[in-house]
């Protein structure tokens, strides 16, 4: 380095910190997933930087033989579709439980809807993780810490509860993944939106 001009030395030892550009979220989606204060319990805004954009709620082209108003749960691809007219559907991203969400396939109907539902872990969940779920064997009232989130849709077949649920979550950043427990979870803003769109008796098809 002896004899190199000072300018050359300075060029080799720049101390400028590179600028990191934060991803820009469309205000439309920021509003869609913003804080909800008109609930029994406040629903926190989503940090959408932590969820792949393909799993944000959006209208898409969707070819299916199912009638408009039907829900189609595509567990392998972690999407839920609400079928619309004209070859379109409203698509939601979901998280899929590794065990509970894989025990049902075929068709069912929404037999019950609940706001801020009570939750009771299944026997298999308690057996699998007794320290985590054992304390809640008697059930947990609805609220911000309830794993079902602010809404739940209960699937029935031939008048019987299938134990398969579409619900919210306390772990919204698991959307788009296979998760340890539970059925089909949606971001809380999404399950509230879906809940408001579908009545009891809605047909649900589960692809598994």
């Amino acid at each position: 380095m002896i004899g190199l001009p000072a300018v050359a030395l300075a060029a080799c030892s720049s101390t400028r910190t590179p600028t990191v550009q934060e991803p820009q979220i469309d205000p439309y989606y920021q509003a869609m997933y913003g804080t909800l204060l008109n609930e029994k319990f406040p629903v926190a805004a989503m940090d959408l930087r932590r969820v792949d954009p393909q799993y944000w709620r959006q209208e898409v082209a969707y070819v299916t033989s199912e009638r408009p108003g039907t829900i189609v749960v595509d567990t392998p691809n972690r999407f839920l579709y609400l079928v619309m007219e004209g070859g379109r559907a409203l698509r939601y991203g979901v998280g899929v439980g590794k065990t509970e969400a894989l025990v049902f396939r075929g068709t069912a109907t929404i037999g019950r809807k609940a706001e801020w539902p009570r939750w009771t872990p299944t026997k298999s969940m308690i057996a699998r993780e007794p320290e985590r779920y054992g304390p809640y064997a008697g059930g947990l009232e609805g609220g911000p810490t309830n794993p079902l989130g602010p809404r739940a849709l209960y699937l029935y077949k031939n008048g019987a509860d299938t134990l398969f649920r579409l619900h919210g979550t306390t772990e919204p950043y698991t959307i788009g993944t296979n998760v340890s427990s539970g059925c089909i979870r949606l971001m809380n803003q999404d399950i509230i939106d879906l809940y408001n769109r579908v009545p009891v008796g809605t047909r649900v098809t589960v692809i598994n």
Side-chain angles (χ1 to χ4, degrees):
M1 300 294 286
I2 296 175
L4 285 177
V7 173
L9 289 174
C12 295
S13 58
S14 173
T15 58
R16 288 185 300 175
T17 302
T19 301
V20 177
Q21 292 290 334
E22 285 288 332
Q24 297 298 310
I25 306 298
D26 188 321
Y28 171 78
Y29 287 105
Q30 288 181 330
M32 180 183 291
Y33 291 103
T35 303
L36 301 178
L37 299 175
N38 59 341
E39 286 285 325
K40 182 178 180 180
F41 305 97
V43 174
M46 275 293 303
D47 182 354
L48 290 173
R49 296 172 300 178
R50 299 181 63 183
V51 178
D52 190 309
Q54 69 175 317
Y55 297 116
W56 303 353
R57 186 194 326 156
Q58 54 196 285
E59 185 177 323
V60 298
Y62 188 63
V63 179
T64 178
S65 60
E66 298 287 356
R67 292 180 296 178
T70 301
I71 292 172
V72 179
V73 183
D74 183 349
T75 58
N77 294 306
R78 295 175 295 281
F79 289 123
L80 181 151
Y81 297 89
L82 177 58
V83 180
M84 303 167 65
E85 300 279 358
R88 308 289 292 177
L90 195 57
R91 189 180 74 188
Y92 305 79
V94 301
V96 178
K98 291 181 179 178
T99 301
E100 286 79 6
L102 302 179
V103 297
F104 179 82
R105 71 176 65 184
T107 61
T109 59
I110 295 176
R112 184 164 74 90
K113 298 169 57 176
E115 298 187 14
W116 296 101
R118 180 181 175 83
W119 168 74
T120 302
T122 63
K123 292 181 180 179
S124 63
M125 291 171 68
I126 295 172
R128 189 165 60 246
E129 299 182 70
E131 292 185 0
R132 181 178 183 183
Y133 296 116
Y136 304 108
L140 178 67
E141 293 299 324
T145 62
N146 188 302
L148 295 183
R151 301 287 190 276
L153 305 174
Y154 299 79
L155 271 61
Y156 281 62
K157 191 175 183 66
N158 300 323
D161 187 353
T162 65
L163 302 181
F164 192 98
R165 284 89 169 90
L166 312 176
H167 58 83
T169 181
T170 56
E171 301 172 322
Y173 310 116
T174 60
I175 298 302
T177 69
N178 290 333
V179 293
S180 61
S181 297
C183 290
I184 300 297
R185 62 177 67 177
L186 291 80
M187 287 185 276
N188 290 332
Q189 288 84 351
D190 282 347
I191 190 61
I192 290 172
D193 181 82
L194 180 64
Y195 181 100
N196 291 336
R197 292 176 186 270
V198 298
V200 169
T202 294
R203 174 182 169 91
V204 181
T205 297
V206 180
I207 302 170
N208 188 334

